[in-house]
Amino acid sequence: MNRAGGNPIMISTLSNSGRLTFVLSFLLAAVPTTARAAWEAVPDVRFGITSNDNVLRTEEDERSASLGVLDAAVTLSNFNERGNIFLAPGISVDAYSDSQYEDLESEDVFLRAGGEYDWQDVSAGFQSNYAEESVLRAEFADAVPEDPDAEAPIDPDTGRIVAFDEQRKRVDLGGNLDFRLSPRSQLQLAVRRLDVSYSELSATTFRTDFDDTTVALQLNRQLSELNRVSATVFVSQFNAERNANTTDSVGLEAAFARPLSQTWTFNVFAGVQEDDYGFLDQDSQSRVESSSTNASIGFGFRKRTERSTWNLGLRHAVDPNANGFLTERDDVRVFLRQQFSPRFTGEFGLSLASFVPIDDLNQRDERDYARLQLTFEWAMTRTMFLAFGVDSYRQEFVNEEPGDTSVNSVFVGVNYRGLSRQNQ
């Protein structure tokens, strides 16, 4: 389910408490292993040098620059036969070689958490994600997924940058209860909340703080050994601050999944939703109220082998966006991870997307976006890797002049990833 199934939700009060939890998590990571009993801590540290051909992300003044980037995270986890729980705080720090770009430097913090537990006929799960990061990172979505086995998270990005020192806070929080009705049937109740806010907002940013809450009820049925279907009904509410937009939605979605071979699976979904919206028109300063019926449809292929992870998908759906409106998104996503030899691995990510607010309510924010990421890793030891690759993205605001932005970069670095007992 695109608006409810498996996507994380979040609380909007994590500005200070999120930082406190982040600090406590790192302190917990420093506790000796014997004191943590069944818990394990797996570090992930990456340092690299990046060369960028458009550091200001603008068409009028393209400048090249180099910077060093340090990403550090630790995953604290506890798992057994009936369930698991994890906590993963992280930081990202960068520094430019030229002091004139100090305003572009950032210190980003992240905190992910999740868990699940099974009883005899009921299981429960939750997932949360807190991110406080520079708009230079936040407003341009990655083409490489953090978890290729999970449903892609909602992309609320606008692609706009006004103040380089601006920060975006994103809070996702989600939970679900699964009830086993029979050996082949399962009923899931899922809740998701997304809360996005910015440190600086003005009339020239053309974006807004917003929140989106969804409740969904999904029935899953295993029709046969191969075929699986689901039907989902959901209700949601989207609230945007800048234009006082409140949109209430109700929708229905059906999905079908089937393995095509021992390595390939196929899935398809289709749905429809009714959106009742009311907002303050920024030009006339009058209230606009209406409704819209919007469809969603998509399909995908997945390949899983010992050496390969492939995701190929195409989707048309309606998602919340920081432009202040529910937005129709058409996208193609390709992700390939291939182990060419025991030491050499490559990753390829491609994302092609177009964004149009529903009912064409805001032509200013009609946008096309494309990103390609290619990374290779050479394992020097079981935990130490040499990494290098390229990253390129381009966007165009269809109704703005100039509306094009393109950024290309190359990088090289060293990665350290600890070993987990779960993978042994």
Side-chain angles (χ1 to χ4, degrees):
M1 217 307 273
N2 291 300
R3 295 208 58 194
N7 284 326
I9 51 183
M10 209 151 186
I11 3 175
S12 57
T13 56
L14 264 183
S15 56
N16 294 323
S17 61
R19 290 179 178 271
L20 177 60
T21 306
F22 174 78
V23 174
L24 291 176
S25 302
F26 266 103
L27 292 176
L28 179 59
V31 176
T33 304
T34 54
R36 293 197 300 269
W39 286 82
E40 72 167 10
V42 179
D44 188 334
V45 181
R46 309 181 182 204
F47 175 75
I49 304 295
T50 298
S51 179
N52 188 315
D53 72 350
N54 188 1
V55 66
L56 299 180
R57 276 75 166 176
T58 177
E59 186 181 40
E60 298 91 345
D61 187 10
E62 296 188 1
R63 305 182 194 178
S64 300
S66 298
L67 68 155
V69 181
L70 174 65
D71 296 319
V74 59
T75 300
L76 309 170
S77 60
N78 189 313
F79 49 91
N80 57 45
E81 294 180 354
R82 301 189 65 179
N84 65 80
I85 188 170
F86 76 90
L87 185 67
I91 59 172
S92 180
V93 180
D94 56 43
Y96 285 82
S97 57
D98 193 327
S99 59
Q100 68 172 312
Y101 298 122
E102 288 183 357
D103 290 345
L104 308 183
E105 297 177 353
S106 64
E107 298 179 2
D108 303 335
V109 296
F110 309 90
L111 178 61
R112 295 187 302 112
E116 57 185 7
Y117 194 82
D118 287 329
W119 291 273
Q120 184 173 355
D121 294 316
V122 180
S123 62
F126 80 96
Q127 189 176 31
S128 68
N129 190 2
Y130 174 82
E132 184 176 342
E133 53 189 327
S134 166
V135 291
L136 293 173
R137 176 199 294 261
E139 289 299 291
F140 302 95
D142 286 338
V144 173
E146 187 168 337
D147 182 356
D149 293 322
E151 183 178 356
I154 291 173
D155 174 12
D157 308 345
T158 65
R160 296 187 181 275
I161 296 175
V162 177
F164 293 114
D165 59 350
E166 186 177 2
Q167 296 281 311
R168 187 186 81 177
K169 293 180 183 178
R170 172 172 175 157
V171 183
D172 297 89
L173 187 60
N176 61 277
L177 282 174
D178 298 340
F179 303 91
R180 298 177 186 86
L181 305 180
S182 73
R184 290 193 171 189
S185 299
Q186 182 186 73
L187 185 67
Q188 180 185 84
L189 174 64
V191 184
R192 193 219 72 232
R193 181 175 172 86
L194 170 66
D195 197 301
V196 174
S197 61
Y198 296 86
S199 60
E200 298 180 26
L201 289 173
S202 67
T204 58
T205 62
F206 301 118
R207 62 172 166 242
T208 179
D209 299 346
F210 76 89
D211 63 73
D212 184 80
T213 305
T214 302
V215 179
L217 190 64
Q218 183 178 83
L219 177 63
N220 297 293
R221 174 74 175 172
Q222 191 76 40
L223 295 180
S224 65
E225 185 177 347
L226 297 179
N227 298 327
R228 183 177 181 85
V229 297
S230 67
T232 305
V233 59
F234 67 89
V235 294
S236 67
Q237 185 176 83
F238 170 78
N239 298 290
E241 186 174 316
R242 177 172 59 89
N243 57 354
N245 184 354
T246 296
T247 302
D248 294 311
S249 303
V250 58
L252 178 67
E253 183 177 284
F256 171 81
R258 176 186 174 89
L260 302 178
S261 67
Q262 292 184 343
T263 59
W264 283 96
T265 59
F266 168 76
N267 64 82
V268 62
F269 73 87
V272 64
Q273 67 184 65
E274 180 76 13
D275 303 306
D276 296 321
Y277 58 82
F279 67 94
L280 182 66
D281 184 87
Q282 301 294 293
D283 297 324
S284 65
Q285 291 297 301
S286 61
R287 187 76 181 171
V288 177
E289 295 190 5
S290 187
S291 64
S292 174
T293 301
N294 296 286
S296 60
I297 188 169
F299 65 88
F301 296 89
R302 290 189 173 193
K303 178 184 179 183
R304 296 293 186 270
T305 69
E306 186 177 346
R307 291 192 170 189
S308 301
T309 300
W310 293 13
N311 289 355
L312 313 172
L314 186 149
R315 184 186 76 134
H316 170 85
V318 176
D319 290 333
N321 194 278
N323 61 31
F325 300 92
L326 291 184
T327 297
E328 294 184 81
R329 171 175 175 150
D330 295 295
D331 66 16
V332 177
R333 298 186 184 187
V334 178
F335 170 72
L336 310 176
R337 178 187 292 146
Q338 184 70 41
Q339 185 178 6
F340 301 105
S341 73
R343 287 180 176 267
F344 189 52
T345 302
E347 281 190 345
F348 171 85
L350 174 66
S351 176
L352 306 174
S354 65
F355 302 82
V356 179
I358 59 171
D359 275 1
D360 207 18
L361 293 172
N362 182 9
Q363 296 183 358
R364 181 187 294 116
D365 285 303
E366 293 185 13
R367 179 171 67 107
D368 296 327
Y369 177 74
R371 185 163 188 171
L372 183 149
Q373 293 171 281
L374 182 62
T375 303
F376 296 98
E377 274 193 344
W378 177 265
M380 296 180 287
T381 69
R382 293 183 65 192
T383 57
M384 193 72 69
F385 304 84
L386 176 65
F388 57 94
V390 298
D391 185 0
S392 177
Y393 61 83
R394 178 174 179 174
Q395 71 172 3
E396 177 184 4
F397 287 96
V398 178
N399 298 304
E400 287 188 5
E401 285 292 340
D404 293 352
T405 301
S406 63
V407 180
N408 305 291
S409 60
V410 296
F411 67 90
V412 61
V414 176
N415 302 337
Y416 171 81
R417 289 197 296 272
L419 300 177
S420 170
R421 298 195 307 271
Q422 298 181 70
N423 300 324
Q424 296 178 4

